[in-house]
Amino acid sequence: PLLPNLIDDLPAVMRELQAVGCKTALDSAGGATRGGSLDALAPVLPHLDLYFPSLGEAQTQTGEDDPKRMITRYREAGAAGIVGVKLGGADGVLLSETPGTFHHQPSDVPPGPVVDTTGAGDCFLGGFIAGLSQSRSIEEAASLGCTAAAQSVTQWGGWSGVQRISPM
């Protein structure tokens, strides 16, 4: 919804990126009331290695209230990669590495008072991608993402609270 002129070309762009060996990830935008429709998203889903909408975005896109059912709807629409739903706040993330498998990663406790939640979901995704790029398991990558998200909420801005996290 933020780049409407790209929607028609996005499936071909993602397919071409994967064809040359690039890993692909897509993040929704718009929170609980936006995030686009599943009809617009479905042609892109088969060409994504990672897709992690927020709970509100997933509700809007799938029409479902249960996160497992949301992920199942993305799978039914063609998602072949890792799919997750960022549950928000203290609830962590539910992710699925393959169809029919689910892993709930609880949130980390922030290392200080919560000041600003802007960008916490983005920090989760960045930490998750960093974990995968270090050949960590999906569970370890999710834990790293939750650590980054928890750190991010302790400072103003989208990422200034995130500290260097030592490799496992």
Side-chain angles (χ1 to χ4, degrees), residues 39-55:
D39 289 340
L41 181 62
V44 182
L45 288 172
H47 311 293
L48 297 177
D49 294 296
L50 300 173
Y51 182 60
F52 277 86
S54 70
L55 181 63

Side-chain angles (χ1 to χ4, degrees), residues 41-131:
L41 181 62
V44 182
L45 288 172
H47 311 293
L48 297 177
D49 294 296
L50 300 173
Y51 182 60
F52 277 86
S54 70
L55 181 63
E57 292 159 350
Q59 287 171 324
T60 298
Q61 292 166 352
T62 66
E64 301 288 345
D65 289 322
D66 176 60
K68 283 186 180 179
R69 185 69 191 132
M70 292 170 187
I71 290 172
T72 299
R73 293 271 291 136
Y74 292 128
R75 295 282 186 211
E76 293 168 351
I82 299 170
V83 179
V85 176
K86 298 176 284 189
L87 303 173
D91 294 328
V93 63
L94 181 67
L95 54 96
S96 170
E97 187 171 17
T98 58
T101 65
F102 298 96
H103 171 73
H104 176 254
Q105 181 66 42
S107 295
D108 282 9
V109 175
V114 174
V115 175
D116 181 12
T117 60
T118 301
D122 297 321
C123 287
F124 165 80
L125 188 56
F128 185 79
I129 291 169

Side-chain angles (χ1 to χ4, degrees), residues 18 32 42 105 126 134 153:
Q18 282 187 324
Q105 181 66 42
Q134 298 167 356
V153 302

